[in-house]
Amino acid sequence: MTTTIAVPITAITTALLALMLLALSVRVTVLRRRKKVSFLDGGDPELRNAIRVQGNFIEYVPITLMLMGLLEAMQFSPWLVYAFGLVLVVSRVAHAIGLYAAAFPARAIGASSSWLLLAIGALLVLGRVA
């Protein structure tokens, strides 16, 4: 049985990012268990860092995926939607690596790319509906 998906590029990107969120969440859970901390970070810097990586992901990814889905639903060029999704995935990976490895350039690239996607996505959607 074949199913038609209205926003297939966004669906693929969402699935990939869901797997990334799962990995980030498992890392937090493993650290909580190892360090015997069930709430907040217990003052542990490694756990605090893992919680922030997961939290930052949750703060930025959903709205960016919504913008991406709107771009696709509004029939922007598929290459633009693919590029948007690729930059989103790469920026989230770079940001996580940057925080986990204390590699500021990767973190800065990830954060800046995420902000840029928010701005571009919002402006494109507003430009199409205005």
Side-chain angles (χ1 to χ4, degrees), residues 62-109:
I63 188 69
T64 310
L65 281 171
M66 284 185 237
L67 288 167
M68 181 179 172
L70 287 169
L71 294 174
E72 190 170 9
M74 297 168 91
Q75 299 182 342
F76 277 83
S77 171
W79 71 263
L80 175 79
V81 180
Y82 273 115
F84 195 93
L86 178 64
V87 172
L88 177 57
V89 170
V90 170
S91 71
R92 293 289 83 204
V93 170
H95 189 266
I97 289 170
L99 278 173
Y100 282 135
F104 183 76
R107 180 180 177 191
I109 289 168

Side-chain angles (χ1 to χ4, degrees), residues 27 30 36 69 74-75 77 80 92 99 105 112 114 123 127 129:
R27 177 163 168 78
V30 167
K36 297 179 171 69
M74 297 168 91
Q75 299 182 342
S77 171
L80 175 79
R92 293 289 83 204
L99 278 173
S112 299
S114 295
L123 292 172
V129 298

